[in-house]
Amino acid sequence: MRGPEPLWITIRAYHVWKNPDMHTVASLSGLHLRVVFDDNLPIEVPRPVIIKWVAEAAPNNEHLHTVLYLQPRQDYIRDSYLRWARGQIAECEKHDHQLADDSFCPERLLGVQGTELRLVAREEAFTAAQIPKYAALSYCWGSTDDDARAQITLTQGSLAQHQLGIRFKRLPLSVQDAVAMSRALSLRYLWVDALCISQDDPADWDRQCVDMHKIYGNAFVTLCAASSQSCRQGFLQPKPEHRILMPYRSSFAPFSGQYCLRLRGVEADIDYASVVTSLGIAFVARDTRHEDFKTDSRWARRGWVFKERASSLRSIVFGKQNLHFVCSKTTKTMNASYSTYEAEIWQRDDAVFSLYRPRGGHTQSEVLDSWLELIQAYSKILPESFTDRSDFLPAISGLAGLYHRYLKASKGVVDAFLDPEKDYIAGYWRQDISRSILWHLVTNPTATPTLPNYISSLHYQSHELHLPSWSQISRGYTHSILNNKQCGIYPQNPLNSNNNNNNFKPEMEILNTHNTTPLGEKNPFGAIRPNPHLHIRTKVLDDDDDVKSDLLLSRCQLALVGQYSSIDPLGLVLYPVLPPSPPKTSGGGSPQHQHFYRVGLFAGPGPGDDMSRLYTEQPPVSALFDFLAEERVIFLY
């Protein structure tokens, strides 16, 4: 039941700035607003609630800062913020973190020491004895022509000039702030993609794209401009959303202007989410400063940022309201409190996803589980996060290269994972693909599309995004049902037990792959052709009339992928489609009945689908596969 409409309340507060005894201006540190709720509210709330506002200098009104004894405007490069950031870095250095490659240095770095900036070649910055300490910038370029014009870039023609020097004022504000922060942290070098990758040299881009996980994984710290919408916006000054500009006019001195009341937080022991839900009101109810870079942040939604933040050894995140620190061991926010539950959720959140970096003795199963966890987190990145919609696979190509090395070094592996062109299939590993494609969407049933619209979206995914229907990449919130690392976290998992890999027996044979070989010679894990698909042999439960009346609707069929514990079949729900260009077939049958999109998953006693319910209630599928399914060769797009 929807609550009442939001109630707007106007509050007038007067502050006497003149001190009657001293005949001087008195300071204002802030405003505490005491709110008492009506006794007739349908839920129990504490009384009172204290909303705290801090008075500080407003933008372009710095002259009032000293006159009114206000707090200076928030600036992340101020001493208090720097001390906190340095303290977090010092604590993080005690962790047992591992560099992505302890012999790697980026091809180019921006030297930031002194007054002059210049591009420095690897040979100048790197010695065999020590990798140089450098910061890496993660930011948004922007999407407008003005953003493009503001960005100073490296080209083949400007390389020599940039090596001589780059004027600080020519840099866009985001890069200026990164230079300032690097200097404040006493770092000699900064890596910025626009200046360290030649923007008109495809070979240079391909080469460094493969090494991107090393660039961020070897950086001493990654500076994340989460509050900036483009390179033209700086990130060292917070951009709080809940801020009130207050007018000031002196009655005894010739000056006027504005100061700012900034929301600091709300004090009360209450679950404010339940207040909002039950009353249907918009209420700023709790300290959200630890979330400010995850909500309404263009940076957090940018496709390439996933790889940057996942690869980073440690990151300082500059949010709209506060400063954050993230590494694989801990996540912290300056001056923000957490409940135990919030801390656990925060640590598992995909916004602070960190790579699993195995050390000696890791097993193949551990690495494959970690890769599935990475793909599940990456699935939330949507097509609008990329300028080029087919960049989904190139954006994680460096991570795939890293995991390829981990897999080759896995305990007990002899000849597997040696050829990336054969072993890496559209974001998954051939040796684990049967288990990998067993996932389902976690969606709101009321928001699911109709079958024709869903098929249309899969067609777009295959043709434009170059992603197969059986890939969870770009699909939103997904859940891999056979990932050992997730058992116990998702109680709805029908196979919620340990050692799922050992209990799963694949029943699907890959005969061939099509359009899955990377296009670029320099990047064996990069872009692939449109319409990637598998040529497989498996048992298929056809749309026979006797079966259809009990089990299947809308021409769907079931394809067996494997058996769990030798009892429960696991597989895909398929929908027949016409191939883009019908290939020659063998063994009879028309092409349209041998080519399919994946539209759902069945696990255990019956199917669950990606779209809501395409199916009626049914008897156990195992019996149907035993008696009615036939072995077929099909193409799975």
Side-chain angles (χ1 to χ4, degrees), residues 41-110:
L41 285 177
I43 60 171
E44 188 70 25
V45 294
R47 297 166 176 77
V49 170
I50 307 297
I51 304 176
K52 294 185 175 182
W53 306 79
V54 177
E56 63 184 20
N60 303 318
N61 282 263
E62 283 73 12
H63 61 288
L64 290 185
H65 163 52
T66 54
V67 175
L68 301 181
Y69 300 98
L70 296 168
Q71 291 190 31
R73 189 183 175 199
Q74 270 188 304
D75 193 332
Y76 288 143
I77 209 166
R78 279 174 50 202
D79 288 345
S80 58
Y81 289 97
L82 279 177
R83 280 196 301 272
W84 184 85
R86 289 177 183 138
Q88 300 307 313
I89 291 174
E91 284 298 311
C92 182
E93 287 188 283
K94 298 176 185 178
H95 298 157
D96 192 20
H97 290 311
Q98 184 181 31
L99 295 176
D101 186 336
D102 56 11
S103 62
F104 174 82
C105 177
E107 195 167 325
R108 307 176 190 94
L109 290 166
L110 182 65

Side-chain angles (χ1 to χ4, degrees), residues 29 36 46 73 80 136 155 161 174 179-180 258 369 388 406 413 446 483 495 536 601:
S29 60
V36 179
R73 189 183 175 199
S80 58
T155 63
Q161 179 60 47
S174 281
V179 169
Q258 292 179 317
D369 278 343
D388 184 343
Y406 288 160
V413 173
T446 62
N483 188 349
L495 310 175
I536 63 175
L601 167 82

Side-chain angles (χ1 to χ4, degrees), residues 11-15 27-36 48-55 71 244 246 259-268 289:
I11 299 175
R12 289 186 173 89
Y14 298 92
H15 179 70
S27 66
L28 176 66
S29 60
L31 175 68
H32 288 190
L33 186 63
R34 184 173 183 268
V35 180
V36 179
V49 170
I50 307 297
I51 304 176
K52 294 185 175 182
W53 306 79
V54 177
Q71 291 190 31
I244 304 173
M246 305 292 291
Y259 64 96
C260 178
L261 288 177
R262 174 175 51 84
L263 180 65
R264 180 163 185 176
V266 180
E267 286 189 0
R289 288 173 293 167

Side-chain angles (χ1 to χ4, degrees), residues 229-250:
Q229 300 295 311
S230 76
C231 65
R232 294 188 295 147
Q233 294 182 353
F235 58 84
L236 287 181
Q237 290 192 333
K239 306 170 183 64
E241 297 176 348
H242 307 294
R243 183 174 62 183
I244 304 173
L245 290 177
M246 305 292 291
Y248 174 83
R249 181 180 297 277
S250 173

Side-chain angles (χ1 to χ4, degrees), residues 39 109 113 160 179 190 240 339 344 396 421 423 445 450 534 569 599:
D39 290 334
L109 290 166
Q113 275 199 328
V179 169
L190 170 68
S339 68
E344 291 175 356
I396 58 168
E421 290 191 1
D423 293 322
T450 62
L534 300 175
V599 296

Side-chain angles (χ1 to χ4, degrees), residues 192-437:
V192 184
D193 55 1
L195 289 168
C196 298
I197 301 177
S198 182
Q199 302 300 312
D200 63 348
D201 185 353
D204 189 53
W205 190 91
D206 283 344
R207 187 171 60 251
Q208 297 212 49
C209 186
V210 175
D211 288 336
M212 204 66 72
H213 70 285
K214 297 181 186 178
I215 292 170
Y216 284 91
N218 274 23
F220 181 71
V221 65
T222 298
L223 308 176
C224 303
S227 63
S228 299
Q229 300 295 311
S230 76
C231 65
R232 294 188 295 147
Q233 294 182 353
F235 58 84
L236 287 181
Q237 290 192 333
K239 306 170 183 64
E241 297 176 348
H242 307 294
R243 183 174 62 183
I244 304 173
L245 290 177
M246 305 292 291
Y248 174 83
R249 181 180 297 277
S250 173
S251 59
F252 62 92
F255 60 84
S256 62
Q258 292 179 317
Y259 64 96
C260 178
L261 288 177
R262 174 175 51 84
L263 180 65
R264 180 163 185 176
V266 180
E267 286 189 0
D269 185 16
I270 181 175
D271 178 7
Y272 287 103
S274 65
V275 176
V276 174
T277 302
S278 59
L279 298 183
I281 60 175
F283 185 71
V284 180
R286 60 192 176 88
D287 191 342
T288 59
R289 288 173 293 167
H290 63 286
E291 310 180 328
D292 65 348
F293 75 93
K294 297 188 290 181
T295 57
D296 192 31
S297 169
R298 187 173 187 270
W299 171 85
R301 298 191 301 269
R302 181 172 166 255
W304 289 91
V305 162
F306 179 88
K307 168 206 66 225
E308 296 164 4
R309 69 190 187 206
S311 302
S312 295
L313 197 66
R314 62 181 67 92
S315 302
I316 300 175
V317 185
F318 299 84
K320 289 184 176 181
Q321 301 180 63
N322 215 337
L323 198 61
H324 315 273
F325 183 84
V326 178
C327 77
S328 60
K329 301 287 187 181
T330 186
T331 56
K332 292 185 179 179
T333 294
M334 186 175 177
N335 296 329
S337 59
Y338 303 84
S339 68
T340 302
Y341 173 75
E342 284 177 322
E344 291 175 356
I345 295 297
W346 176 250
Q347 197 69 36
R348 294 203 311 257
D349 200 294
D350 295 316
V352 292
F353 181 85
S354 295
L355 280 185
Y356 166 69
R357 298 183 184 276
R359 299 179 184 275
H362 58 274
T363 66
Q364 175 179 307
S365 177
E366 289 171 339
V367 180
L368 291 173
D369 278 343
S370 180
W371 180 256
L372 280 187
E373 186 180 30
L374 183 150
I375 292 297
Q376 178 171 296
Y378 188 53
S379 70
K380 299 176 181 64
I381 301 297
L382 300 178
E384 53 267 27
S385 301
F386 291 97
T387 303
D388 184 343
R389 299 296 173 89
S390 63
D391 273 348
F392 274 98
L393 292 179
I396 58 168
S397 60
L399 302 180
L402 177 66
Y403 270 76
H404 184 245
R405 288 198 297 278
Y406 288 160
L407 288 166
K408 286 198 296 183
S410 296
K411 188 165 55 177
V413 173
V414 180
D415 57 355
F417 302 106
L418 296 182
D419 187 352
E421 290 191 1
K422 294 180 180 179
D423 293 322
Y424 187 66
I425 305 174
Y428 296 104
W429 304 102
R430 175 188 288 268
Q431 290 82 347
D432 195 41
I433 200 162
S434 294
R435 185 175 69 112
S436 300
I437 62 178

